[in-house]
Structure formats: C-alpha cells, structure tokens
Amino acid sequence: VVKAFEMEIIPAERTVAQIGGTLILTCNTTGCASPSFSWRTQMDSPLGGKVSNHRTHSTLTMNPVSIVHSHSYLCTVICDEREKKEKSVKVELYSFPSDPIIEISPSLVAGEPATVTCKIPDVYPSDHLEVFLKKDEDVLHEKYFFDDDSTNTETKIVTYTFHPKAEDIGKEIACVARLPLPDMDFEPKERTSSHKLNANFGPQNTVITASPGHSPMEGDSLNLTCVTQSNPPAQIVWSKYLAEESIQHLIKNNVLSIPRVHFSDSGLYICEVINLVTNKTEKATVDIIIQGAPVITELSIEPSTTVQEGENVSIQCSAESNPPPKIILRRKSDNTNMGPYSARSILLPSVMFQNGGDYECIAENKFGNTKSEITLNVKYGPKNTMITVIPTAALKEGETVTMKCTSSGNPAPVISWKKKKATGESEKISKNATLTIQNLKSQDLGFYECEAYNQFGKEEKAVELYVQARLEEPDQMIPLIIAFSSVIAVAVPAAAILIYVSRQAKINGSYSLVKALRLKV
C-alpha cells in the first residue's frame, strides 16, 4: 500500500517564543521518497535562522530569538518535482526574562521622603505591562503601560516616593510585575521582588525610670534606666548638673547604677541619646532627692583641738540630710553655764581654761538623729595653789607635821618644796606635793615655799612655822607654833606677821613647846 504524500509543521499554525531564547520549527513529510524543502517568511523578510534539511524533514533554528523573528514562517515541500505542499506557522514573541530589581535608599530616615525604584528588565511587549508597588499587602502605587509603543525589549522603570515610619521597620516593599498577554501561553506571567524596610529614626520618646524611685533613702541602691526609641540603637551618655551650670559626665551606658547613694548624689541627672545615622539628639532629665537621717560631715575646732588659754577658738558643726537637719552644738558638761547652743558654731574669744571639755553636735530630722563629740583641750599655767597643814591641833616637840600642796593646771603642774635659810636663800628640800616633818624640833621652824610649775607658768605659796608669844603668868603660859601661809606669784617676799594675843599679856619673844595649848593659823 502506497501512502499519500503529506506534510506537517511543528509547532502547528501558531507558537509563542521568548526573545533571547531558542526556537526550532520542524517541517515533516510522509509518502515522499525524495522531498525538497524550502523556508521563507510571508513578507519575504530574511529568515534570521539556520535551515537544516534531512531526508524526510527540515528544521529552521532561531538562536537567539529576536524581535526580527516576529513573522509567519512558510515551509514548502516538493515531492519528486511533481507535487507541492505548503504550511505556515505564526511566531509570536514576548520578553519577560527576570524578576524586577528593587532599588531603595540604603539609609531611610523615618518621616523623611524616600524613593523606591522598580526596574523590569527587557520586557516586551510593554503595552501590556502592569506594575504594583506594595508595602506588605497594602498597594502604595500602581502603573499601567497601555500607551507604550515600544517595538523592542526595554527595561521599564517605576519610581515612587513615600515617607517611611518607625513602625515600617521589618515590613516588605514588593514590586509585582505582570505581563498578561492574551492568547499567549507562557509562564510566568507575574514576577515579584521584595526588599525588607529598615528605616532609621529617632531618638524619640526618651524617658528615664528610677528604681526604687526618685527619692531613695540614704544608703540604698539606685538604678537610673534611660529608654529611647531609635534605629540604629542610639549612643547614651549620662551626666549630672553641678553648681554654676557645669556638667559632670558619668558613663556611656543605658543604666546608671549607684550601689549606695549618699546625700551628695542628689541632683538633676541627664540622659542624652544620640543617633549617629540620623544625626539627631534627644535629652531626658530626672531630679533625684536622697532622703534619710542626718550625717554629720564636719565637727572641728579651729585653730586646733589643743589651744592655750587666751586664744580665740571657733567650734563648727555641719550635717547634711533631707529634709534639712536641725543642728544643736553644745557643751556636754552639766557643771558649766554655757548653753545649750542651738547653732552650728560656737565662738570663744580669749578662751579660758573653764571652756575646755567635751562638746557634742546633735543633728536630727524626721528620719532620726546622729551625734558626734569633740574635745577642747585648753592649756594654762598653774592656778589656785593651796597648802594644807596637818594636824591643825596644838603640836608638841617630837610630833609629825604634814604639809600638802595642791595646784590646778594643764598640763598638771610639777610641785616642789623649798625652805628659806637664815641667810635668806631658799633650799630645795622635796620634789613631792606632800612634805612631812617627823620629830618636830625648833630648827624646823621657819618659811616653807611650795612651787607649782608647767611650761605655761608657775605659781608659789609659802607657809611659816614660828612661836607667837608667852604670857607672864605661869598658868597663862601660851607657847605657840604658828603656821602662816601666803600666795605669791613667781617670787615669795619675806614677810613678818605679828599676831597679838590680848588679855594684857606682854610679848617677850621666848619660845617653848612644854605647855603648848593649841595651834593657830
């Protein structure tokens, strides 16, 4: 059975090709031993491809496909030079080779205009192109190229300006390009590219939190935390206002921590946040007031805690607390008539030795009180030197006489005894405060001097043992040993003091211990 001569073209009648790709048209025959093939366009334009003839088929290869291949191609087959058949195929072109390219400012600043650019490369035909700019699912902008009359592939560009917000961080800007060509079967007809937003903003809404609060107790811990909204994260600097509008810079950290606060930590703290990208700065402040019982910061004596009598002395007391303290500075001794002083200072012009002693400073407020003491040591020379003679009753020859010398001074005076000779010179006889004469004899009579001494001066006191008189009547014989003392400063002048005895007695100057009756001082 002989088959009839037939031909076909593959693909048949109509095909879609992408510009830049490869297209092969095949012309097949059956029922012909030696077919002859030829290819042409209906408009007799150049083929723009390569023809390959084989025994029963012929191919036309276009690589790469370009805009010039938008034709109807005709394949003609002649069988044994007698019979001819023709068939054609229409080649329709498109170009949609890649996803859109999104370009957006690398450093977006919230609130400031930003431009997003979407490029759709080598698209054809562009009069069917649709482009959508989206933020997440919200359409920001759309564009249709219905009026475009491009005759070749072109990169189409869509630009849009918007104002990013802080809440846009992390959202996606998407460019959706569609090429819905009717009756053209190709994929994909939609391409999408996206870019995650990273808008720089701030600092803004800067606040300071204080833990445990703005008025902690003295000795508590304090944490000040500076919180701000900023992208990229802001640089944080802590500082504190000082006197005369000067500023003390502290740390570069979002948390300022003070383990144990003191009253000196009270003040206005500043948190300054700086965004180095947006070049913006914001400040927040917090006023910290440290509360607590008073702390005495100074208790001093000027010019020194040890002074010499006659110097001018100032006693000062200072304390700090919140609320402010009531300060009482006073002398502790109950034996003085000095106060209390309800003041922060005591002035003692030409200080006296009686002013010496312990002084106390008391500071108090509603949270409690505190107390501190200081001692004023007043140096002075010997004073109030006194001699005591024991016994005070009548003495007999052979008995013991004790004379005790006392004196006040700071430092404590050194006490010594001297006895005046008949020549008028004085002889040191003891370095003790107490002088004891045992087995009293007539040669023990005379002047005795007590000397009290320190580096600030000396004071002397004298006592005299002597016979007073004797009455003429035998039964009225009154031989007496008289002790007489007098205070002298630095030197003791010799003084003869006569004590008269009444009752019409005659003084004869004689001395006896035989019938001593009593001792008169």
Side-chain angles (χ1 to χ4, degrees), residues 213-224 238-242 248 250 256-270 286-291 320-322:
H214 293 191
S215 301
M217 296 297 292
E218 206 263 349
D220 287 350
S221 63
L222 174 66
N223 288 321
L224 300 180
W238 281 99
S239 54
K240 181 185 177 185
Y241 275 119
L242 301 178
Q248 175 189 12
L250 302 175
L256 173 61
S257 181
I258 305 175
R260 290 179 59 85
V261 293
H262 301 284
F263 294 114
S264 58
D265 293 317
S266 295
L268 189 66
Y269 289 82
I270 311 136
V286 62
D287 197 13
I288 298 298
I289 301 173
I290 310 301
Q291 298 189 103
E320 59 179 9
S321 69
N322 186 54

Side-chain angles (χ1 to χ4, degrees), residues 62 65-73 90-93 124:
M62 290 164 275
V65 176
S66 68
I67 196 66
V68 299
H69 296 129
S70 180
H71 296 294
S72 291
Y73 287 85
K90 184 179 181 180
V91 176
E92 295 180 352
L93 302 178
Y124 178 85

Side-chain angles (χ1 to χ4, degrees), residues 151-206:
T151 58
N152 205 340
T153 59
E154 283 187 2
T155 296
K156 297 301 179 181
I157 300 175
V158 177
T159 60
Y160 176 69
T161 299
F162 70 108
H163 291 74
K165 303 176 182 177
E167 54 266 28
D168 289 336
I169 293 178
K171 293 183 178 180
E172 288 192 345
I173 288 287
C175 177
V176 180
R178 297 173 183 165
L179 193 61
L181 297 176
D183 302 324
M184 290 184 69
D185 188 15
F186 68 91
E187 290 296 336
K189 291 186 178 181
E190 180 178 300
R191 289 182 177 274
T192 303
S193 292
S194 62
H195 181 89
K196 188 166 287 189
L197 283 176
N198 183 30
N200 299 311
F201 66 91
Q204 62 190 32
N205 303 324
T206 303

Side-chain angles (χ1 to χ4, degrees), residues 45-78:
S45 299
L47 288 176
K50 180 182 179 181
V51 176
S52 296
N53 293 322
H54 304 276
R55 192 173 68 85
T56 60
H57 70 276
S58 176
T59 60
L60 174 59
T61 302
M62 290 164 275
N63 185 22
V65 176
S66 68
I67 196 66
V68 299
H69 296 129
S70 180
H71 296 294
S72 291
Y73 287 85
L74 183 67
C75 176
T76 303
V77 183
I78 300 174

Side-chain angles (χ1 to χ4, degrees), residues 304-322:
S304 172
T305 55
T306 299
V307 296
Q308 187 173 349
E309 191 175 41
E311 290 189 66
N312 295 328
V313 173
S314 172
I315 306 175
Q316 303 282 341
C317 181
S318 299
E320 59 179 9
S321 69
N322 186 54

Side-chain angles (χ1 to χ4, degrees), residues 362-387:
I362 302 172
E364 60 184 7
N365 65 12
K366 67 179 183 179
F367 292 110
N369 63 74
T370 185
K371 183 187 298 185
S372 185
E373 297 182 5
I374 195 169
T375 300
L376 174 62
N377 187 15
V378 180
K379 301 288 187 179
Y380 61 96
K383 295 179 183 291
N384 302 323
T385 305
M386 296 179 62
I387 296 176

